[in-house]
Amino acid sequence: MSEAKNLGTTGEGKRIEGFWIKLVGTDQLPAGASIRYNVHVQNQGWLSDTGLDTAINWIGDGGFAGSQGKGQRVEAIQIILVGEDGKQLPGYTVSYSVHGQDYGWSQGWKKDGEVAGVTGQSKRLESIRIKIEREGASTGTPVDEHGKLSVVGTQLTDESGLPFQIKGVSTHGLSWFPEYVNADAFQTMRDDWGINAVRLAMYTEGYNGYCVGDDNNRALLKERVINGVNLATDLGLYVIIDWHILSDGNPLTHQAEAIAFFDEMAAQFKNNNNVIYEICNEPNGGTTWSQIKQYAETVIPVIKSHNQDAIVIVGTPTWSQDVDQAAANPILGYSNLMYALHFYADTHRDSLRNKMSAAIDKGLPIFVSEYGICDSSGSGPINEGEANLWMDRLNQYGVSHIAWNLSNKNETSALIRSDINKTGSWLESELSISGQWLVKMLEKTQ
């Protein structure tokens, strides 16, 4: 299994007391291969010697590890694949990650008999993720697994033609919180949270945006975008370059700057199979679909001149809510176009969900390139019930979604607690309510 499988729970304070692991699909492994595992249990210690040369004597292939009826926690594990000769199976790697009390997923991935968890500190294991990979095969990153994406009908699909959902996180403005664009943050979200994409939000006017600063500011913001794309590419993540109009309202206001920017970005990343272009975040202030369409029909060919297959997301009127207007008069003549819908769960409820469903049923490919589980101010009440209804609907239609926002800003939409200054390797307890909800949601849908 190249994609990690989970056992256990997170965020509920529950311990793992015991478990079974059994190989399935053994026709994909050499004859005689088996999986072996060793556990450290409260009041018992390690159930077997931890030396890898004794791994053949560990519990294996469906045997029970841990305790039953004693209320004793599992504190650490070792897992290894062995061959018919009882030695480590060559050519294959078993990787595993544990979610532990107080330290979450922060240990990252262990492999081939390494100890995952802690001993001597009375910390329970709460969840375990396991995956098996063949050496020299795909690294298992999202882009390695799914490759170049396309839009078929209303559905985003991967290189094999299978339906695919992007599930990611957006930065806050790159002028405001640039420190979160780093390899540790992106890898933590990929490996610990389960995202497959990041969105780089470059404001055009607000917060020292690209179109209001001087040449030095524009150069700095471009550098941050390029760095973000390269980091995402190195980690096998999909990445959205977001022309984040907001206070400027109408994308035509800075059309000339958009043309020059996307011309440069599309030229630079023309050979990347992981880059998506979002050309106008949230048109608002009475901007009509006709005006947005006029802008899009000018910018899209600039991007497509470098890569005909590039995926482009087009914003819609009223802060990217009026997808019905785009469905009634879509942009023609280009492949791989999608249309943005944004929601904030405590404000936007059944009526917007139904508007989205009707637009998709009419044939419009929709991408939720920004959402939050609070109200539309970005800092109001959180509504997990409505957020869960949104996820049910998005999953029903296979709609991709990007959560706002990766920062510790003192607002309820921020994913990191405002008193936490770390810019990566976060414990679950260091996430905000929105952040903890996001991680749980992603775990359920892996």
Side-chain angles (χ1 to χ4, degrees), residues 119-140:
T119 61
Q121 297 183 32
S122 301
K123 304 288 189 184
R124 64 181 176 266
L125 292 191
E126 299 176 339
S127 186
I128 305 170
R129 298 187 294 195
I130 308 172
K131 60 183 179 181
I132 296 171
E133 295 172 325
R134 187 167 186 167
E135 293 177 7
S138 163
T139 62

Side-chain angles (χ1 to χ4, degrees), residues 148 275-277 303-304 307-312 335-337:
K148 180 180 176 181
V275 178
I276 295 170
Y277 302 93
I303 296 170
K304 296 286 189 177
N307 180 359
Q308 281 292 329
D309 296 328
I311 294 174
V312 178
S335 63
N336 291 338
L337 298 187

Side-chain angles (χ1 to χ4, degrees), residues 200-227:
L200 304 171
M202 189 187 74
Y203 278 74
T204 50
E205 279 199 3
Y207 314 112
N208 203 26
Y210 184 83
C211 299
V212 296
D214 59 17
D215 288 344
N216 290 333
N217 183 58
R218 282 188 284 278
L220 178 62
L221 285 171
K222 276 195 286 191
E223 179 183 328
R224 288 173 180 169
V225 170
I226 292 166
N227 179 49

Side-chain angles (χ1 to χ4, degrees), residues 150-154 279 289 292-314 329-339 363-365:
S150 302
V151 181
V152 178
T154 61
I279 62 173
W289 171 242
I292 299 167
K293 189 177 181 185
Q294 175 188 341
Y295 164 83
E297 290 176 335
T298 305
V299 174
I300 290 169
V302 173
I303 296 170
K304 296 286 189 177
S305 70
H306 299 287
N307 180 359
Q308 281 292 329
D309 296 328
I311 294 174
V312 178
I313 303 171
V314 182
N329 184 20
I331 298 164
L332 303 177
Y334 301 99
S335 63
N336 291 338
L337 298 187
M338 305 193 82
Y339 297 83
L364 195 73

Side-chain angles (χ1 to χ4, degrees), residues 24 36 65 94 146 167 169 201 231 276-277 284 341 375 400 425 427 446:
V24 295
R36 301 283 164 163
V94 58
H146 298 282
K167 301 172 183 178
V169 165
L231 287 171
I276 295 170
Y277 302 93
N284 62 82
L341 181 136
D375 72 357
S400 296
S425 298
L427 304 179
Q446 281 185 6

